[in-house]
Amino acid sequence: MSFWQELKQRRVVKTVASYIVAAWVLVQVADTLFPAYDVPDWGMRLLILVLALGLPIAIVAAWALQRTPDGLRWDVRSRSGSLRIATLAATVTGVALVWYFLGKPAIEVQVENEERSIAVMPFTNLSRDRDNTYFSDGLAETTLDMLTQVKGLKVIARDSSFALRGGESTPAEIGRKLGAAHLLEGSVQQAGNLLRVTAHLVRVRDGIRLWSRKFDRSRDDIFSIQDEIALEVVKAMKTLLPKGQRDRLLDQGTANAAAYNEYMKGLALLPLQEVNALREAGKHFNKAIQLDPHYARAHVGAARAMFGIGLTEGLPDEGWKLHEQHVQRALELAPDLGEAHVQQGIVLVNKDDMPAAEREYRRGLDLAPGYATGYEAIANLLYSTNRADEGLRMIARAVALDPMDGNLRVSYSGALGQVGRLDEAEQQISRVLEDEPDFAVGYQQKAMLKMLQGQLTGALQTLHQGWARDPLNYELFNAECALYLEFGAYPELDACLTRLLARFPKHALDPDYQQQAWVANGTLEDDPGALEQTYFDEPIDRASLLVQLGRYKEALDTLLRGNDGLLETSPDISQRSLWQVLTVGSIRLNTGDKEGGRRLLDGALALAQARAIGPTPHLRQWYDAIALGMLGRHQEACAAIRKSGDAGVITAWRKLDLTKALDELHSAPCYEMALQPIRARAAEAVQAAHDAGLIPPPNPAPASAPVAATPTR
């Protein structure tokens, strides 16, 4: 009898088939019920493991236990068959254990169901008073905010959906532009204290209304209207809502209609991202807090307004302290408010506590998985902590949630560039500028991509296009100075900084650009007091400049005062920038702690060679050469320089020349031979830009003297 026939005779095949069907049914039931009871994600994985381990038991039992007139008997007389069954059972057990402990099963990956995606369109204001548009917009936006908390539901961000206000596009066209399978549309009409709200959910692919409802209530009943709309939408889209999520979804945070009204006025102003609008938004949020001191969302709104002002104009230290106070109060009042955790992450980034900031960002996104701003924030953190690939995934998610936001699309292009996907980055920024040809920031990003390709002339030409569109944009003009720094054109950098200060007298010069110009022209060596006039955001920044100057003891004292974690015996370098690790490694190496210094430099070298780099193109190709030079491995350092030169890299090379920690490398015969071709190509690029008339003549009064100024954060 063949082995297969014996399997059928002993009912092994039937038993295995029945077991698999029963296990599949059990998994489907669990997949439905587990979310409803807030069972964590690992619960499903554990259930599958238990069922998988049960299969070899069922196989062995079906083979060995035979039904006889005297009952079940153990029968293993077929030695060859029993050996095969044992082998099969052991294989299934091994596969199950490997799957659980080492594999990445599909159940771990949260695959987004595109059918569960929605864009909340601005509700039409049908009231006679057109000034009430803020109320209809606010109703739509707060409903959107509620839906972003639902796991498994992709909610298009406000800026993208509201950008299509008033157009003549069909639902199918809007859905295609936004990447949404459903649209929530509505209207609001007010008469005194009476309110009529109409809302309907449209399926994009066929235009069918899945749900529609009209509410005739008093204005004081606005909260229950929002609750009903949000719950009906979730139900219509067949999305399960566990009790914990449901409670958070319905928690508006206030029962005070006047406070809610002020909050919505503030929300309407936030997207403008203009200083005056942000200040006005802050006033509305503060008025809401006065009306209801326990209104957590209003505290978050006030913090967001202050952060926006900090980005565009700058905040004094007192302003950042008030920002933190609003965030802390919001978390005290609503510990499960995702937006508050994201703002807390920003607070911690400002304190340079990246691990804690990352935890807050992830907690915020867990609570509000549709919050596009949160994905952008954590992407920026990941770039700065050597995880550019993961940062790219996060910014891609932000773009998927807010596909019409030009700034996010520009950030996505930049992220592609940082992981070396320059062709894709250029295609992305070209699409942005095709859609928005007057979007000045897009030209800045396009110029940076040309810089990464060694095209100074093309980069400057692109910046000129941006200047023509926004002649008051400081960052666009500051980008010119960045180009000169990257190409090692320090006289041009010095003149650029002078022009920048004359054009924008209220803005501070970028401290890094200014300090590098001073290092190049000898200002910091010739004038001992110059260093005290410079601005440093963190002690590590001052220490970095001191290392460039070869002043290691001062650099160590600076770090000791700042209690820098990289001075610990076994520091965690995974979330520090590579330049910071190189800085501290060099300090320890040159102040007596050679073992600790070498450990840090070896760690930095490993990260550099893996190209786990941050977002700044400055120095991005030279970390490995710098680490090898600091370690005294001069031939390998020269080989790394040649490798970058052969790849066409001609930017940021002057840092190699200007760092005194590399003086021994400078004396090595191979150094000049490796770097000279790169110097020559960079000089040719600078001369070509001069010949094209893209670089103004030198200013007779360069910015070589220190300018005491505090930059915006």
Side-chain angles (χ1 to χ4, degrees), residues 276-338:
N276 290 335
L278 291 168
R279 287 199 180 108
E280 193 64 26
K283 291 178 183 178
H284 288 298
F285 291 130
N286 285 319
K287 183 67 180 296
I289 293 168
Q290 291 174 9
L291 292 166
D292 183 355
H294 297 90
Y295 196 177
R297 289 184 182 275
H299 282 284
V300 172
R304 288 178 61 190
M306 298 190 73
F307 178 64
I309 293 171
L311 287 181
T312 54
E313 189 180 61
L315 279 177
D317 288 342
E318 295 76 15
W320 288 110
K321 288 177 183 176
L322 185 57
H323 169 268
E324 182 175 359
Q325 289 170 10
H326 278 301
V327 174
Q328 294 301 326
R329 184 58 177 152
L331 288 171
E332 290 171 8
L333 295 169
D336 288 339
L337 187 58

Side-chain angles (χ1 to χ4, degrees), residues 151-212:
K151 289 186 177 180
L153 183 62
K154 174 185 171 184
V155 184
I156 303 302
R158 183 246 194 227
D159 287 355
S160 286
S161 55
F162 279 41
L164 300 179
R165 179 203 303 269
E168 298 181 357
S169 301
T170 65
E173 291 169 340
I174 294 174
R176 185 171 60 255
K177 288 180 181 178
L178 299 178
H182 301 83
L183 303 180
L184 179 64
E185 301 174 323
S187 62
V188 179
Q189 188 172 5
Q190 298 183 68
N193 196 44
L194 297 178
L195 195 65
R196 169 169 290 180
V197 177
T198 302
H200 49 264
L201 182 68
V202 178
R203 188 166 59 199
V204 164
R205 70 169 183 263
D206 51 20
I208 291 177
R209 289 191 177 185
L210 301 179
W211 168 82
S212 184

